[in-house]
Amino acid sequence: FPVSPVAPCRHSVLRSPNETLRHCAHALCALSPRSKARVQDMMIPRLLFSIFAVVLLVSAAPAEPVERELTWHWPWEDTTYKLPCPVQPPSATVPTDANHVKFSDIKVAMAIGDSITAGFGMYEHLKITGFREFRGDVFSIGGNDGQPTIPNYLKTVNGGRAVVGPSSGDAEIPFSVFVTNNLEEHHPKEDHLNAAQSGAKIQDVPEMVEYLSTQLTSMEKDKKVNIKEDWKLLTILIGANNLCRGCNASLDGYMGADAFAEKLEGVLESVYDRFPRTLVNLLPMLNVSQVWFKGRDHWYCEWAWQHYKECPCMMENTVEAALGMDSLNVEYQARLRKIEASWAEKALPDFRVRLQPFLENLILPNETYVSGVDCFHPSAIAHQFFSVGLWNNMQEAPGEKSTEVLLSDRPKCPGANDYIQ
């Protein structure tokens, strides 16, 4: 049972079990306070069993060490980061034009998506009974204190006033979620306005809109929001689980680009009908093949892809299958641009759909940006990386938006009179 409590135990294929034990012990001692807290609820016997399992598996692995790129980390502590930006004064009156909304005018944050937006496997943490989601640290909608997320960036430029809606904490989900296609129920006390569900495809999104509508109505009754008056930010990132069938049109759940676009258009129409004064961040999916190329030489990654059954095309374990996902993704991305253009032509005063393309050509710098739990989902470092890309895209004019994030990039600060782009 290859439990991977810390990244170095999984990422390094060493020559002997003794080396592995020393390496893992060193990593455990070097954990940050936040990471130690993540591990504390794993009882000592379970942790010892996990390390023992790693030793047995490494003993059977190839003797040749795997070459690794130099690990790079953001230069902030994982629980104390604060956006180094001045307060942006809100508009003198509530804006009536979707193109003239400041960052400080946003009162509500919402999100729709799949396991990425659910924070699946962000940290090297796995229990005997299931996976974990870390929704409070998700780049687009997380609200945990000290995390580099869009809601926390908004809180800084708002002068400390938190927006309504960010998800919090973490929760366990069963191993079977990707095999049975039975999506987990929402947990409003922690999810808040993060409607994402692990394993979700575009065809599952209408239910997420229903969930958001129900939650907003409840919040309005409690006088936390004003659905008609408050400006809302909705981030949509969906499609990874559709692309995971993109290598073979005969796979159950395969969806071509036109059908995908039709479903997404229906979702946006529903959002428009229910949520006035909403800015929609529409995010493309990054190319999934790079995850396969980064992990294909690791024994644990091959094991995880086959046994967790998260992505059928990854399970095929071939270059052709990996590139097949990317080929379909190019078509998906083209449809997103058409959707953005069609909504822009409507010139609606209280609703806007804007493509934020930072993921389009993004290259994950190295394997530490991929979850050590399943070698598939973005790690916590990747979520930090994504938060900078999205935040900066929101300050870049259409036609000038970056389609990638670089290691040298840092969050930009909006000026006193800058609008969300």
Side-chain angles (χ1 to χ4, degrees), residues 33-55:
R34 179 180 182 80
S35 298
K36 286 179 181 177
R38 300 286 189 199
V39 176
Q40 282 175 355
D41 66 343
M42 300 175 68
M43 297 184 298
I44 295 300
R46 183 179 297 172
L47 183 57
L48 292 174
F49 173 69
S50 301
I51 296 176
F52 178 69
V54 171
V55 171

Side-chain angles (χ1 to χ4, degrees), residues 119-197:
F120 183 98
M122 287 175 60
Y123 297 93
E124 305 285 336
H125 187 118
L126 188 64
K127 284 192 170 184
I128 297 296
T129 51
F131 297 110
R132 294 195 75 78
E133 296 174 339
F134 300 88
R135 290 175 178 258
D137 293 354
V138 172
F139 76 100
S140 60
I141 190 63
N144 283 350
D145 288 341
Q147 289 301 307
T149 67
I150 298 303
N152 285 340
Y153 293 165
L154 289 172
K155 182 178 179 179
T156 297
V157 299
N158 285 346
R161 176 184 59 79
V163 295
V164 175
S167 47
S168 60
D170 56 79
E172 186 175 332
I173 62 172
F175 287 119
S176 61
V177 65
F178 292 99
V179 179
T180 63
N181 290 319
N182 293 327
L183 304 183
E184 281 290 284
E185 294 182 358
H186 296 287
H187 300 90
K189 290 184 178 180
E190 294 80 26
D191 298 351
H192 302 291
L193 297 179
N194 180 356
Q197 293 174 292

Side-chain angles (χ1 to χ4, degrees), residues 181-379:
N181 290 319
N182 293 327
L183 304 183
E184 281 290 284
E185 294 182 358
H186 296 287
H187 300 90
K189 290 184 178 180
E190 294 80 26
D191 298 351
H192 302 291
L193 297 179
N194 180 356
Q197 293 174 292
S198 290
K201 307 177 187 67
I202 183 64
Q203 48 268 48
D204 300 307
V205 173
E207 187 278 331
M208 299 182 197
V209 178
E210 291 287 345
Y211 168 79
L212 291 177
S213 180
T214 300
Q215 290 305 111
L216 278 174
T217 300
S218 176
M219 290 176 175
E220 188 167 52
K221 289 179 180 178
D222 294 337
K223 301 188 183 303
K224 295 179 180 179
V225 302
N226 185 318
I227 296 176
K228 184 178 179 180
E229 297 295 326
D230 290 345
W231 279 99
K232 296 165 282 293
L233 181 70
L234 170 62
T235 301
I236 300 177
L237 175 59
I238 193 72
N241 292 305
N242 294 97
L243 290 172
C244 273
R245 279 97 181 143
C247 61
N248 188 338
S250 65
L251 285 172
D252 182 41
Y254 174 87
M255 182 169 287
D258 289 335
F260 181 88
E262 183 179 353
K263 292 282 188 183
L264 183 55
E265 278 283 13
V267 167
L268 292 171
E269 289 287 354
S270 181
V271 170
Y272 171 62
D273 290 339
R274 295 163 183 259
F275 310 138
R277 290 191 171 175
T278 296
L279 303 183
V280 178
N281 282 333
L282 191 60
L283 274 53
M285 190 57 62
L286 76 166
N287 284 327
V288 182
S289 72
Q290 59 185 303
V291 177
W292 180 80
F293 281 107
K294 280 180 166 51
R296 63 175 175 169
D297 293 327
H298 289 277
W299 59 267
Y300 176 78
C301 292
E302 292 185 10
W303 184 95
W305 297 336
Q306 296 300 324
H307 288 78
Y308 295 152
K309 304 183 186 301
E310 296 165 304
C311 185
C313 290
M314 298 275 282
M315 291 173 65
E316 294 201 12
N317 208 25
T318 65
V319 173
E320 292 75 18
L323 296 181
M325 293 187 288
D326 288 356
S327 179
L328 183 59
N329 195 23
V330 169
E331 295 184 47
Y332 277 18
Q333 292 174 355
R335 299 306 189 280
L336 294 188
R337 292 191 178 280
K338 289 183 178 179
I339 289 173
E340 179 195 35
S342 69
W343 281 91
E345 289 176 0
K346 299 177 183 180
L348 301 168
D350 67 341
F351 190 81
R352 189 185 74 188
V353 177
R354 182 63 53 79
L355 183 67
Q356 309 293 4
F358 71 97
L359 289 172
E360 199 167 276
N361 296 313
L362 181 142
I363 301 297
L364 297 172
N366 57 57
E367 63 189 19
T368 65
Y369 288 72
V370 182
S371 171
V373 172
D374 63 358
C375 301
F376 182 60
H377 286 86
S379 68

